[in-house]
């Protein structure tokens, strides 16, 4: 979420966009005209895609396997607009002097069907709906004035209003992604008590709120996604981290929440943002915006591996190491708008778009779920130039996007109170939007929405996913989650049920899973191997301890004590498997396939990696305590799939 440019230590962030493809009547149009102008838009949008959504490689696809590009906007308000000081009832203490009353903004000024008609006119097919955890528990009825243009919403709580808005959106054909934006109703995103998922609440409460909402909307298949947490950042004393295993570990928290949500509502996309800010912003202290950069060596794996979408935010006045502040908290680091065209392309790729590269452990769709700029009033030439160049990047990369924000107010003078809003409504319901004359963003917006994009069927391609046993169990197998602990006292990693184990790191307990050429699993019991009883075909690693799957089965998990091999988990194949293969040693260096197999990314940094080829299955692991090898894996037994 964007914060005012003057004097905020916080990062001002905004959302990504969908373009103006249909002309909508001007601000003086009679009630209902906007709806008539886009008559049939809801039916066309609803017919254009089939829920639920999933992913194939870098693309989001619908239930028919057709590409569904997220052309979205952020309908803000339910996350709260109070800026944290002064009387909460005084509108001047709210963002842009707009009091949303903790519901989507604009319901006091415009009937919801006419707001949605404007969304259709913008070219949107989806809406990101920010909310606060406070909303889940709020039993206060919203004031009648907050829904003056929608009297059917009188007497409802903020959650019930959200219910109604979601139903209207999905009935109109839109896909809805819920976004946990804040803990309290305080407007973010600085030192405001909303810095982490467990700021002002426990991680358990945060996950429970998500599971509650997932169950609440799971029958509505056009509620397609859970965007787990907005702009995680440093609080006064502590940084969030990616992979330390503690209660500030965003990687761990997203993993836990995503998998619990999928167990409650398996159809949802799980959207994960990276870290928005670490460090103290002075020229003398380390600081910066990691965004998705850590995903390159520590990605996420879900129980349903086709449900992960990564997200990132970009605003011109912030930068790779710039908070966006002016004055206090400002550093000499360049803002994104200060970068040359070539630098901006490189930085956006390094911080986010690299994730879309095919065939890696981190490969997933990337949704730029916030970006934007002010469209009227005082024109900032640098911001305007940045917006043009940034939308060019989105076009060139066929990137999913969502602009911030969709809805704002116009004041008594007829000017937008938040110039970044795509549509603003006066107290009498008149509209001033990017589709109306005088908004410079229209050209770039239409360029973005109308840009050539991949459409039609996206074929399934192999996946590779990490297992991370650095600190604890990493169980992403639905089968094993339903069973008792299969290796008590040891850290365990289990591949998703659609995948098998393909590789191991030597000494760091990392693993790699794949579904490349995946053999179907048989109905028999899975086998926990702790000794050499299943070693067949001779001693393939003389002098080493060997864990080998029974013939006709393949490795799907492993366990370690410290980093030493403790057990191998094997699943039976539905059909016979070859029992000839090769021994792959990696005790003195990496031994990985030259092509395929996530070969262009590092899933176990600092450790030697052994990895079977894409047309092989992992049948055994050799290790030893001799020669100070400490029981870590030294060799793999790789056998052909056919």
């Amino acid at each position: 979420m964007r914060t005012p440019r003057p004097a905020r230590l916080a990062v001002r962030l905004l959302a990504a966009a969908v373009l103006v493809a249909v002309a909508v009547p001007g601000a003086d149009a009679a009630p209902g005209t906007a709806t008539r102008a886009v008559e049939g838009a809801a039916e066309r949008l609803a017919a254009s895609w089939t829920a639920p959504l999933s992913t194939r490689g870098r693309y989001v696809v619908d239930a028919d396997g057709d590409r569904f590009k997220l052309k979205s906007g952020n309908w803000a308000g339910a996350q709260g607009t109070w800026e944290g000081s002064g009387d909460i009832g005084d509108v001047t203490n709210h963002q842009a002097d707009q009091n949303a009353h903790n519901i989507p903004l604009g319901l006091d000024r415009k009937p919801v069907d006419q707001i949605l008609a404007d969304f259709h006119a913008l070219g949107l097919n989806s809406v990101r709906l920010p909310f606060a955890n406070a909303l889940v528990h709020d039993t206060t009825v919203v004031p009648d004035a907050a829904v003056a243009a929608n009297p059917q919403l009188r007497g409802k709580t903020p959650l019930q209003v959200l219910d109604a808005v979601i139903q209207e959106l999905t009935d109109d054909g839109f896909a809805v992604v819920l976004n946990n934006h804040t803990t309290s109703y305080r407007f973010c995103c600085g030192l405001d008590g909303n810095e982490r998922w467990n700021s002002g609440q426990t991680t358990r409460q945060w996950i429970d709120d998500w599971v509650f909402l997932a169950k609440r909307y799971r029958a509505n298949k056009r509620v397609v996604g859970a965007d787990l947490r907005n702009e995680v950042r440093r609080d006064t004393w502590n940084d969030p981290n990616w992979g330390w295993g503690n209660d500030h570990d965003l990687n761990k928290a997203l993993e836990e929440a995503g998998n619990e949500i999928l167990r409650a509502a398996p159809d949802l996309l799980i959207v994960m943002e990276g870290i928005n800010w670490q460090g103290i912003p002075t020229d003398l202290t380390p600081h910066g915006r990691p965004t998705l950069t850590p995903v390159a060596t520590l990605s996420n794996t879900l129980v349903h591996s086709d449900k992960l979408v990564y997200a990132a935010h970009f605003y011109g006045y912030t930068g790779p190491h710039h908070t966006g502040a002016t004055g206090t908290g400002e550093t000499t680091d360049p803002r994104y708008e200060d970068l040359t065209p070539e630098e901006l392309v490189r930085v956006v790729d390094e911080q986010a778009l690299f994730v879309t590269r095919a065939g890696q452990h981190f490969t997933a769709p990337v949704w730029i779920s916030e970006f934007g700029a002010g469209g009227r009033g005082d024109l900032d030439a640098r911001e305007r130039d940045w917006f043009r160049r940034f939308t060019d990047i989105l076009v060139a990369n066929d990137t999913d996007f969502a602009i911030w924000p969709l809805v704002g107010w116009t004041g008594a003078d007829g000017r937008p109170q938040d110039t970044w809003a795509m549509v603003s409504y006066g107290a009498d319901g008149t509209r001033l939007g990017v589709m109306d004359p005088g908004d410079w963003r229209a050209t770039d917006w239409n360029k973005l929405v109308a840009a050539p994009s991949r459409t039609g069927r996206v074929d399934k391609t192999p996946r590779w996913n990490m297992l991370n046993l650095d600190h604890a169990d990493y169980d992403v197998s639905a089968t094993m989650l339903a069973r008792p602990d299969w290796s008590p006292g040891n850290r365990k990693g289990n591949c998703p049920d659609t995948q098998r184990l393909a590789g191991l790191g030597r000494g760091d307990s990392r693993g790699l899973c794949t579904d490349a050429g995946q053999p179907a699993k048989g109905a028999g019991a899975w086998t926990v191997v702790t000794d050499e009883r299943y070693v067949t075909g001779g001693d393939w690693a003389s002098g080493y301890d060997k864990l080998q799957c029974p013939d006709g089965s393949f490795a799907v998990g492993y366990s370690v004590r410290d980093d030493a091999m403790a057990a191998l988990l094997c699943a039976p194949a539905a059909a016979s498997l070859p029992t000839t293969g090769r021994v792959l040693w990696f005790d003195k260096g990496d031994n990985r396939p030259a092509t395929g197999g996530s070969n262009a990314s590092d899933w176990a940094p600092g450790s030697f990696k052994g990895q079977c080829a894409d047309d092989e299955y992992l049948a055994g692991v050799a290790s030893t305590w001799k020669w100070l090898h400490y029981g870590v894996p030294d060799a793999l037994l790789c056998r052909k799939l056919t």
Side-chain angles (χ1 to χ4, degrees):
M1 172 189 290
R2 164 176 80 88
T3 58
R5 182 186 287 267
R8 274 233 178 159
L9 182 64
V11 181
R12 160 183 154 181
L13 293 171
L14 288 169
V18 184
L19 285 180
V20 184
V22 181
V24 174
D28 56 350
T33 309
T35 304
R36 292 196 300 274
V38 290
E39 185 175 357
E43 291 79 4
R44 289 191 296 273
L45 178 56
S48 70
W49 65 284
T50 305
L53 302 181
S54 58
T55 69
R56 293 183 179 178
R58 62 150 293 182
Y59 297 107
V60 175
V61 298
D62 74 358
D64 297 323
D66 293 329
R67 200 275 177 91
F68 183 87
K69 183 174 182 178
L70 290 164
K71 298 182 178 183
S72 322
N74 285 264
W75 192 359
Q79 83 287 348
T81 52
W82 181 59
E83 294 191 300
S85 63
D87 179 5
I88 197 170
D90 185 343
V91 70
T92 63
N93 295 323
H94 290 255
Q95 189 269 335
D97 295 346
Q98 301 173 149
N99 186 353
H101 293 285
N102 311 319
I103 59 176
L105 197 66
L107 297 174
D108 59 329
R109 299 180 169 220
K110 202 76 168 177
V112 66
D113 65 320
Q114 294 182 37
I115 294 174
L116 300 195
D118 287 341
F119 292 176
H120 284 294
L122 287 170
L124 304 177
N125 62 16
S126 45
V127 172
R128 183 178 185 246
L129 268 183
F131 70 91
N133 290 98
L135 175 143
V136 176
H137 308 279
D138 190 352
T139 59
T140 306
V141 171
V142 300
D144 286 353
V147 292
N150 292 274
Q152 74 277 14
L153 301 179
R154 289 176 182 168
K156 296 184 181 294
T157 67
L159 179 58
Q160 291 169 336
V161 171
L162 192 70
D163 291 341
V165 166
I166 288 172
Q167 194 62 56
E168 292 281 352
L169 282 165
T170 56
D171 285 350
D172 248 31
F174 292 102
V176 171
V177 178
L178 298 170
N179 163 242
N180 179 221
H181 213 79
T182 52
T183 303
S184 71
Y185 283 134
R186 181 173 171 180
F187 189 80
C188 86
C189 296
L191 297 175
D192 51 25
N194 296 306
E195 296 87 356
R196 293 192 309 274
W197 62 96
N198 53 6
S199 295
Q201 62 187 350
T202 64
T203 297
R204 182 70 264 159
Q205 183 61 64
W206 172 65
I207 294 175
D208 286 347
D209 285 352
W210 262 123
V211 170
F212 169 81
L213 291 175
K215 291 179 177 178
R216 188 176 186 89
Y217 300 121
R218 66 185 170 191
N220 186 342
K221 299 305 180 184
R222 289 185 184 263
V223 178
V224 298
D227 184 348
L228 298 181
R229 187 69 180 188
N230 186 72
E231 295 180 12
V232 171
R233 56 199 180 275
R234 181 185 175 88
D235 62 17
T236 304
W237 304 110
N238 295 294
D239 283 323
N241 67 77
W242 192 264
W244 292 12
N246 61 16
D247 64 356
H248 293 176
D249 183 348
L250 178 59
N251 176 277
K252 173 187 173 185
L254 296 176
E255 195 87 43
E256 292 175 353
N259 282 322
E260 288 206 36
I261 291 166
L262 287 175
R263 293 171 76 179
D267 288 332
L268 289 176
L269 295 174
I270 302 298
V271 182
M272 300 184 181
E273 294 179 29
I275 296 173
N276 192 61
W277 187 261
Q278 287 177 324
I280 301 172
T282 74
D283 286 330
L284 301 177
T285 51
H287 57 272
R289 178 174 292 107
T291 51
L292 296 178
T293 305
V295 172
T297 54
L298 182 56
S299 57
N300 297 85
T301 304
L302 294 170
V303 172
H304 302 297
S305 60
D306 62 347
K307 292 296 184 179
L308 174 60
V309 175
Y310 283 112
H313 297 177
F314 289 95
Y315 292 106
Y317 66 93
T318 64
H321 299 278
H322 203 301
T323 64
T326 301
T328 302
E330 185 174 11
T331 62
T332 56
D333 303 292
R335 304 172 191 266
Y336 291 114
E337 63 190 21
D338 298 328
L339 302 178
T340 67
E342 296 77 17
E343 289 171 336
L344 184 62
V345 169
R346 174 180 55 80
V347 167
V348 172
D349 182 73
E350 290 174 349
Q351 293 194 285
L353 297 186
F354 76 90
V355 173
T356 62
R357 292 174 193 160
Q360 308 309 312
H361 67 84
F362 50 68
T363 302
V366 170
W367 185 32
I368 305 302
S369 56
E370 286 191 26
F371 81 101
R376 297 178 186 269
D378 294 335
L379 298 182
D380 184 326
R382 290 192 306 163
E383 186 170 74
R384 189 168 177 170
D385 179 61
W386 171 84
F387 190 79
R388 175 186 58 79
R389 292 189 287 127
F390 187 73
T391 51
D392 283 345
I393 292 171
L394 299 182
V395 168
N397 289 277
D398 194 7
T399 302
D400 301 64
F401 57 86
I403 198 150
W404 181 280
L406 282 176
V407 177
W409 290 358
T410 53
D413 61 0
R415 298 179 180 179
Q417 294 177 204
D418 184 348
T419 63
W420 294 57
M422 297 299 282
V423 290
S424 296
Y425 299 113
D428 62 353
T430 57
R431 189 206 69 223
L432 186 64
V434 73
M435 63 280 283
D436 300 307
D439 193 314
W440 66 264
R441 297 171 298 177
T443 298
D444 293 313
W445 181 248
N446 282 296
K447 168 192 69 182
L448 181 59
V449 170
S453 298
R454 174 163 181 171
T455 59
R457 183 173 178 80
V458 177
D459 291 333
K460 292 182 178 180
T461 55
R463 297 178 184 273
W464 289 269
N465 289 103
M466 282 182 56
L467 297 179
N468 167 26
L469 277 65
D470 291 1
H471 307 288
D473 288 355
Y474 201 96
D475 192 349
V476 285
S477 161
T479 297
M480 298 312 294
L481 284 168
R483 296 181 181 177
D485 188 340
W486 61 270
S487 187
N490 302 313
R491 302 197 311 281
K492 292 160 287 295
N494 302 317
C495 294
D497 284 346
T498 54
Q499 300 184 9
R500 68 184 184 280
L501 191 62
L504 290 172
R506 185 177 186 273
D508 69 351
S509 69
R510 296 278 181 94
L512 184 69
C513 304
T514 189
D515 60 5
Q518 176 73 11
K521 291 186 173 73
W526 294 17
T527 304
V528 177
V529 179
T530 59
D531 54 34
E532 297 189 1
R533 73 184 65 186
Y534 299 109
V535 174
T536 59
D539 187 347
W540 51 270
S542 180
Y544 284 74
D545 301 321
K546 291 167 285 293
L547 302 174
Q548 183 174 331
C549 293
D551 290 348
S553 64
F554 51 89
V556 293
Y558 62 104
S559 68
V560 296
R561 184 179 295 272
D562 294 327
D563 290 325
M565 289 298 300
L568 200 60
L569 181 67
C570 307
S576 62
L577 291 172
T579 56
T580 58
R582 64 186 177 114
V583 180
L584 185 153
W585 291 93
F586 60 106
D587 54 329
K588 294 180 174 63
D590 280 0
N591 195 342
R592 305 170 66 193
T595 59
S598 195
N599 67 310
S601 54
D602 194 344
W603 44 271
S607 295
F608 297 150
K609 290 163 284 294
Q611 183 179 327
C612 296
D614 298 349
D615 61 351
E616 296 175 325
Y617 69 95
L618 195 159
V621 181
S623 61
T624 185
W625 286 89
K626 301 175 184 177
W627 315 302
L628 301 179
H629 283 208
Y630 302 108
V632 301
D634 282 327
L636 306 179
L637 178 61
C638 301
R639 290 174 166 175
K640 289 289 187 179
L641 287 167
T642 56

